[in-house]
Amino acid sequence: MTDVERVGIVGCGLMGSGIAEVCARAGREVVVVETTRTAATAGLERITRSLERAAASGKLPAAERDAAVGRIAVTTDVARLADRDLVVEAVAEDERAKLEVFALLDRVVERRDAVLATNTSSIPVIRLAAAVSRPEQVVGLHFFNPVPVLPLVELVPSLLTGEETVRRAHAFASEVLGKEVVRARDRAGFVVNALLVPYLLAAVRMAEHDAASPEDIDRGMTLGCAHPLGPLALADLIGLDTVQAIARSMYAEYREPLYAPPPLLARMVDAGRLGRKTGRGFHTYGDRGSGAMREDGGVVATATGPTRPVHGRRHGEQPT
């Protein structure tokens, strides 16, 4: 059993909003903290749209949709996290930003045995635990996008995480949220991204070297290997900036070439072509920031055509 009734989340972007939704649907009271009123409003709208899609598809009764919305508060007031039993950090994949969040949580969260979790996809948990006075309470809970659809959570204890924290985090993810939990060692990339990211980077290198078009690279893996999304479409869905951040973190730890971000990836990030969330990445999307996935995990927006690989351009120059 779990004693986690009050959940806090820092960050209401794609991942934070998804985590908030599944917690609210599981009957937990949720407070989400954002940095600005504009971001808070956008985050709540994102959660509401997702719940409405679930109801419209018949996967969530209207009464449960309304109850879930009523359990969620999105605010800019970090003091609202004081009484939380569990807080999940879900800000951008930037170590400095995450360290600032954990230092803040250490001051604000009053329950001394509260679980302080990070949704990081690549940064070793021990580095974040170093920012707090209670590192035994810090653990990795890595959800996957879209959170309401994908059943997996990676549970990542650091060398200092207490066994009771691990037990409570595991019980919450599995018993309350109904997720499948895999336990991973505290190493950059954990299990899934340590396998996935080199594959995505290999696809970027193929596009960079003109081995095939982005469209044909993706078709090769969807039609030839029965993958639901091709690697470049998946990178677009994750966000090319996030893929780059994960790759950099893993390369910094392992110094293996397969983890090094290709120059093309850096150019696209510098150009603001981040994938679905900006409407353009390796493919072009008609509905910018539309959420990208149906409730059943299928693709909402389809690529309207592949973009051309970038060649012969200076670093930071806009690719076309």
Side-chain angles (χ1 to χ4, degrees):
M1 297 296 291
T2 177
D3 62 346
V4 174
E5 296 293 334
R6 297 179 298 274
V7 177
I9 298 165
V10 181
C12 202
L14 196 60
M15 296 304 298
S17 61
I19 297 167
E21 178 183 336
V22 296
C23 290
R25 287 172 67 166
R28 269 40 185 184
E29 176 200 332
V30 182
V31 170
V32 191
V33 173
E34 257 295 355
T35 53
T36 66
R37 289 183 181 275
T38 299
T41 299
L44 183 58
E45 290 175 351
R46 185 179 295 111
I47 296 168
T48 303
R49 285 196 305 269
S50 179
L51 288 166
E52 288 174 349
R53 286 196 299 269
S57 67
K59 294 184 173 9
L60 183 69
E64 291 185 23
R65 173 201 62 199
D66 296 341
V69 171
R71 296 186 189 107
I72 299 171
V74 185
T75 179
T76 59
D77 182 7
V78 71
R80 294 282 300 276
L81 298 175
D83 66 347
R84 300 294 95 178
D85 304 314
L86 176 148
V87 181
V88 182
E89 167 275 310
V91 301
E93 192 69 2
D94 177 88
E95 185 171 341
R96 180 177 297 181
K98 291 179 183 292
L99 286 170
E100 290 175 356
V101 169
F102 274 90
L104 181 63
L105 294 179
D106 198 35
R107 297 193 300 270
V108 169
V109 180
E110 294 176 353
R111 178 172 170 174
R112 296 310 298 174
D113 65 345
V115 176
L116 305 180
T118 174
N119 185 56
T120 181
S121 48
S122 62
I123 300 169
V125 175
I126 190 64
R127 295 184 193 168
L128 306 180
V132 306
S133 62
R134 36 182 157 169
E136 68 279 4
Q137 305 306 131
V138 178
V139 68
L141 277 179
H142 180 213
F143 294 80
F144 292 81
N145 178 43
V147 180
V149 175
L150 295 186
L152 185 68
V153 170
E154 287 181 312
L155 176 65
V156 190
S158 81
L159 289 173
L160 299 179
T161 305
E163 280 303 316
E164 182 62 11
T165 299
V166 174
R167 184 198 66 77
R168 291 171 64 209
H170 190 290
F172 180 75
S174 61
E175 297 172 17
V176 176
L177 302 184
K179 298 293 188 181
E180 294 289 335
V181 177
V182 297
R183 185 161 170 169
R185 283 193 173 187
D186 188 19
R187 57 194 297 275
F190 315 133
V191 173
V192 174
N193 280 322
L195 295 169
L196 175 64
V197 171
Y199 161 65
L200 301 182
L201 299 181
V204 175
R205 292 187 187 100
M206 289 191 76
E208 183 174 54
H209 297 147
D210 249 346
S213 70
E215 183 180 42
D216 283 346
I217 291 169
D218 281 348
R219 282 163 51 84
M221 297 309 293
T222 57
L223 301 181
C225 297
H227 288 200
L229 280 177
L232 299 178
L234 179 55
D236 280 351
L237 175 61
I238 295 168
L240 300 188
D241 52 339
T242 300
V243 173
Q244 178 179 248
I246 297 169
R248 284 176 171 173
S249 178
M250 293 169 65
Y251 183 72
E253 178 147 325
Y254 305 120
R255 296 296 176 184
E256 294 185 17
L258 76 164
Y259 298 128
L264 174 59
L265 183 61
R267 287 187 181 184
M268 294 180 73
V269 171
D270 288 345
R273 283 175 49 171
L274 308 182
R276 287 185 180 271
K277 60 188 172 184
T278 60
R280 196 175 184 193
F282 285 97
H283 303 287
T284 301
Y285 303 90
D287 188 4
R288 174 173 172 166
S290 63
M293 302 288 280
R294 295 195 305 262
E295 176 67 14
D296 62 359
V299 178
V300 170
T302 57
T304 58
T307 58
R308 294 195 300 273
V310 180
H311 296 293
R313 296 186 180 273
R314 295 186 299 275
H315 179 74
E317 191 172 354
Q318 174 72 43
T320 58

